[in-house]
Amino acid sequence: MRRIISAMQISVDSYIEDRGGNLDWVDNWEDEYGFLDQVDACVLGSVMYPGYEEYWTAALDPKRKLPFSGKLPTAKEVEYAKWASQTPHIVVSRKPLKVVWKNSRVISDLEDIRKLKQEPGKDIHVVGGATLVSSMINLGLVDEIRLMINPILLGGGKALFKGVAERHYLKFVSAEQRVPGKVYVIYRVQHT
């Protein structure tokens, strides 16, 4: 069976955005998880999808400044953008939503993700956002959590696991120090 992996950038105090909804504290959005070869589908929430699509469409052009940061994309961001433009993306939305990428489709029921998990294929990457990740954890759909912990305390904002409804046990897999001062942690979700 395919695994569903949630991989997110967070602050030390577990936020994915600051109080103003800003992400400027993240150095880059390269594939720091190193799993593009093991993933063949992405799942996103409807709030996150428009900005994600805009960012990675812009990152296809190495000479174009990126939205949100105003920086030029790194070589690894361009690599991820190419991968993302060819990889199926599933957007979870209870309301009608227009998606521009031809590789994207909208679903309204998370049980469709459970069915997708049963189909042949590689692992599935839950890109985010926080509400979607929490909902999927609550339904027992997430098998692994990968966190890139950034060396910053935001003191508030959007918490990654705010919507988790009950206790879930995790099994530590690994931790690795990254430069500059980041820590990459992997946990497996223990399903009962």
Side-chain angles (χ1 to χ4, degrees):
M1 181 179 355
R2 301 166 87 172
R3 293 179 312 147
I4 296 181
I5 302 167
S6 171
M8 303 279 288
Q9 297 250 8
I10 64 168
S11 64
V12 171
D13 49 352
S14 303
Y15 294 103
I16 61 169
E17 295 176 359
D18 70 12
R19 286 188 174 104
N22 298 309
L23 304 167
D24 57 352
W25 49 275
V26 176
D27 291 337
N28 64 65
W29 295 97
E30 299 174 355
D31 170 37
E32 296 193 80
Y33 313 107
F35 64 13
L36 296 186
D37 290 342
Q38 76 182 75
V39 171
D40 67 0
C42 293
V43 179
L44 297 97
S46 60
V47 174
M48 182 181 194
Y49 181 79
Y52 176 91
E53 180 185 272
E54 178 186 5
Y55 190 90
W56 293 113
T57 298
L60 285 168
D61 180 354
K63 296 178 182 176
R64 182 175 169 193
K65 288 188 177 181
L66 295 169
F68 314 117
S69 72
K71 299 177 189 175
L72 292 175
T74 66
K76 288 190 176 185
E77 283 178 315
V78 173
E79 179 183 331
Y80 182 90
K82 289 177 183 175
W83 177 85
S85 71
Q86 299 169 13
T87 301
H89 283 66
I90 300 156
V91 185
V92 181
S93 179
R94 290 194 171 90
K95 299 176 184 174
L97 179 71
K98 181 182 177 187
V99 293
V100 177
W101 273 356
K102 63 179 184 263
N103 63 339
S104 299
R105 65 182 171 101
V106 179
I107 63 167
S108 60
D109 188 348
L110 284 175
E111 288 305 316
D112 290 340
I113 302 297
R114 191 179 309 279
K115 292 174 191 169
L116 179 65
K117 188 176 178 179
Q118 303 296 325
E119 294 174 6
K122 295 180 179 180
D123 293 335
I124 301 164
H125 174 204
V126 180
V127 179
T131 301
L132 176 64
V133 170
S134 293
S135 297
M136 291 181 69
I137 289 171
N138 290 337
L139 291 172
L141 292 172
V142 175
D143 300 297
E144 191 171 281
I145 297 171
R146 297 185 183 193
L147 302 173
M148 185 60 68
I149 304 168
N150 289 265
I152 188 169
L153 295 170
L154 295 175
K158 185 183 280 188
L160 176 55
F161 300 114
K162 181 181 177 186
V164 173
E166 60 188 42
R167 186 179 298 183
H168 294 270
Y169 290 94
L170 307 176
K171 180 179 180 182
F172 174 77
V173 175
S174 66
E176 178 184 329
Q177 184 175 348
R178 299 275 177 94
V179 176
K182 295 180 182 182
V183 177
Y184 177 44
V185 181
I186 301 175
Y187 293 100
R188 283 204 188 94
V189 179
Q190 301 295 293
H191 299 293
T192 55

